[in-house]
Amino acid sequence: MRNRAFAARAAHTIALAACVGLAACSAPEPEPAPEPTPAPETVTASSAVPEGGVVDTQEAPALFSPAQQRVPEDLRARVASLMVVGVANYEQARVALDQGVGGLIIPSWADPRLLTEPGRNINALREQYERPFVVAIDFEGGRVQRHTNVLGEFMPPRALAGTPPEVIRGTGWDIGRSLRAHGINVDYAPLLDLDVADLDVVGDRAFHGDPAEVVRVATLFSQGLTDAQVTPTFKHFPGHGRASGDTHHQLAVTPPLNQVRDLDMRPYGPLLKQFPRSSVMMGHMIVPGLGPDGVPSSMNPEAYRVLREGDYPGGVPFNGVVVTDDLSGMRGILDYAPTRDAVARAIASGADQALWSTGKDLPAIIDHVVWCVNNGYIAEDRIDEAATRVQQLLIDDNL
């Protein structure tokens, strides 16, 4: 039975779609947010004592988990914590962090000094800002590995799959150790898409076409990343291997939902069972039969429901962070909705982190999402839920 929370989310998303449209947002300019209502205080031994009575401090209830306690009270700060934006240099990174973003992504066009220059690199930024934040990168090996002159160069995933288990896990460790040394704590890898349709965007980026073999290799690789204290990110749910094209250039359509469930989703259950603190990247593919017709998965509440509930063969419930694929650097999604609207719709639908590699218009996009919350197009509980998951990821990462 479909979870009521997802049904409610779908209703909010439909309302949001009416607000933002498909190509251009017609909503009025964001209005100043009202003063936030103070969050209830965590119950302590003293506040839990009934009048004239005594309470055992060991049994005093706690209203909030450690992750919830770290969620900002201010609505704009909570919204900003859900943003992961590309930065090209130290100055851009500081501007983004000053806006309160919860994550940075290091794109291929970033100045390598952001990784290497003492006092002006990622590690320096971690010391300069009191709050923790995510720093992510696309680093699969082969065709998709950024700044190899700094971080090292590694074989394509397909070639890696043919090596002994200790080499696969060791490669994950070597990549993770290099990333972590340069302040990066999330890798947008490994790719779980199946190479079954000769799609060039997949190709040797895929470990294999057999879901069981993908699980075997991805488990070893992800364990290596985890050993090096880097969070793996499984992508691209629900599965890009049989899509009609490359979402970097156009919106792509997969086979019908029953076929995607029976094959493309199969690697996710075993891996999420073993790595529940990993993250998952939601792709932009349109899956016929999955929620509203013609809606990309990244903006489709039903896609998030299927992932959260493990509603596919071998699936398990997943309560970790779900990040979108790029909402600004991929032609397919830009033809569907401009970045500001795509960010709002993705968060309303169930994304915990909205990723856009250009980092463009950051203050305005944060303000727009706040406006959508204040005007009922996005439920505030949705923001709180996502912000809590982001904080839990940072706690798990010891940040």
Side-chain angles (χ1 to χ4, degrees):
M1 181 178 294
R2 186 170 303 177
N3 187 289
R4 291 183 180 178
F6 284 97
R9 187 169 303 157
H12 277 286
T13 306
I14 291 169
L16 179 63
C19 168
V20 301
L22 296 183
C25 181
S26 59
E29 289 299 311
E31 301 173 352
E35 288 297 318
T37 302
E41 298 179 358
T42 302
V43 174
T44 62
S46 59
S47 64
V49 176
E51 186 175 354
V54 177
V55 69
D56 183 344
T57 58
Q58 297 301 313
E59 297 180 359
L63 288 179
F64 301 125
S65 69
Q68 289 171 318
Q69 291 176 24
R70 291 172 50 158
V71 171
E73 291 188 8
D74 176 70
L75 175 59
R76 191 179 193 279
R78 270 178 282 156
V79 168
S81 75
L82 311 186
M83 309 299 170
V84 179
V85 297
V87 292
N89 51 49
Y90 173 80
E91 287 76 15
Q92 286 186 12
R94 287 196 63 93
V95 169
L97 291 171
D98 287 344
Q99 283 292 320
V101 299
L104 308 175
I105 181 172
I106 310 298
S108 58
W109 58 85
D111 186 336
R113 289 178 295 180
L114 184 56
L115 301 172
T116 61
E117 186 175 357
R120 293 172 60 84
N121 58 16
I122 294 297
N123 284 324
L125 288 167
R126 291 203 182 280
E127 295 177 358
Q128 293 161 9
Y129 285 81
E130 293 183 358
R131 64 181 181 84
F133 51 89
V134 165
V135 179
I137 196 168
D138 281 303
F139 208 101
E140 303 168 6
R143 283 187 282 164
V144 181
Q145 50 186 337
R146 315 300 189 202
H147 302 286
T148 55
N149 56 327
V150 176
L151 300 173
E153 190 165 358
F154 299 85
M155 70 182 80
R158 174 61 53 79
L160 181 64
T163 64
E166 59 271 20
V167 174
I168 300 171
R169 182 168 177 173
T171 299
W173 158 260
D174 288 340
I175 290 173
R177 184 175 57 176
S178 179
L179 299 184
R180 190 76 189 201
H182 293 88
I184 300 166
N185 60 328
V186 173
D187 188 5
Y188 291 149
L191 181 136
L192 303 189
D193 298 329
L194 306 177
D195 185 25
V196 291
D198 296 323
L199 197 62
D200 183 63
V201 70
V202 178
D204 65 356
R205 295 174 62 193
F207 293 126
H208 205 272
D210 179 356
E213 181 65 4
V214 169
V215 169
R216 182 188 73 86
V217 182
T219 296
L220 292 164
F221 181 84
S222 300
Q223 190 61 59
L225 287 176
T226 302
D227 292 342
Q229 293 186 296
V230 169
T231 299
T233 303
F234 303 123
K235 63 183 186 184
H236 305 85
F237 193 87
H240 200 301
R242 295 186 289 170
S244 60
D246 181 352
T247 52
H248 289 88
H249 305 300
Q250 63 192 41
L251 276 178
V253 181
T254 71
L257 175 61
N258 64 325
Q259 296 181 32
V260 173
R261 289 179 76 256
D262 288 345
L263 183 65
D264 301 81
M265 295 183 189
R266 281 189 178 272
Y268 286 89
L271 285 160
L272 293 177
K273 183 176 181 179
Q274 184 159 343
F275 300 98
R277 296 303 191 188
S278 62
S279 55
V280 173
M281 179 174 284
M282 185 66 74
H284 297 318
M285 301 77 63
I286 295 171
V287 182
L290 181 68
D293 291 341
V295 177
S297 297
S298 55
M299 302 180 204
N300 187 336
E302 183 67 3
Y304 293 94
R305 184 198 69 80
V306 169
L307 174 59
R308 291 295 184 199
E309 296 182 2
D311 186 15
Y312 53 92
V316 297
F318 177 63
N319 195 39
V321 166
V322 181
V323 58
T324 68
D325 206 346
D326 191 357
L327 296 169
S328 67
M330 304 179 76
R331 190 69 255 164
I333 207 66
L334 288 176
D335 287 343
Y336 184 85
T339 301
R340 184 176 81 162
D341 299 352
V343 168
R345 294 183 68 173
I347 292 172
S349 298
D352 303 308
Q353 291 180 319
L355 162 67
W356 73 100
S357 62
T358 66
K360 185 179 178 182
D361 298 328
L362 174 61
I365 289 176
I366 295 172
D367 289 340
H368 177 64
V369 176
V370 171
W371 184 92
C372 288
V373 175
N374 285 332
N375 287 274
Y377 296 109
I378 301 177
E380 189 166 356
D381 286 352
R382 171 83 272 278
I383 302 297
D384 296 342
E385 172 189 60
T388 300
R389 289 199 184 106
V390 171
Q391 292 304 319
Q392 185 62 57
L393 184 153
L394 293 166
I395 290 173
D396 293 340
D397 197 54
N398 297 314
L399 290 178

